[in-house]
Amino acid sequence: MSRIKVKTEIRFNSYALLERAVEEGVTYGYNRAYKHTSEPSEETLKGEIADAVMLALREIIEFNEEE
């Protein structure tokens, strides 16, 4: 039995993927900032959100990290 080669092309909506990752990261970071306190500082809030957004982006983007 022979196999037929079929050309397939997949395109991803990069804007939608990035938007979803950023939204998920913001939500996660915001919730994480409130995990141990009911009134996190502005610095803590921003830091947790930024870390979570970058983590979400790293799940869908491969960065070339140079030393």
Side-chain angles (χ1 to χ4, degrees):
M1 186 156 140
S2 65
R3 292 187 174 207
I4 299 173
K5 291 186 180 183
V6 177
K7 180 181 178 185
T8 55
E9 185 174 311
I10 297 175
R11 292 185 184 202
F12 295 97
N13 182 338
S14 57
Y15 184 86
L17 287 171
L18 291 170
E19 182 178 42
R20 182 179 296 176
V22 169
E23 287 176 358
E24 290 174 1
V26 168
T27 300
Y28 181 77
Y30 181 85
N31 290 332
R32 184 150 173 83
Y34 283 90
K35 184 175 181 176
H36 299 292
T37 181
S38 60
E39 295 181 22
S41 68
E42 182 178 341
E43 182 178 321
T44 298
L45 191 57
K46 288 179 179 179
E48 290 293 345
I49 290 172
D51 290 346
V53 167
M54 290 306 296
L55 181 63
L57 290 174
R58 289 187 75 153
E59 290 180 3
I60 63 169
I61 299 171
E62 185 175 312
F63 292 96
N64 290 331
E65 297 181 23
E66 296 179 13
E67 292 184 31

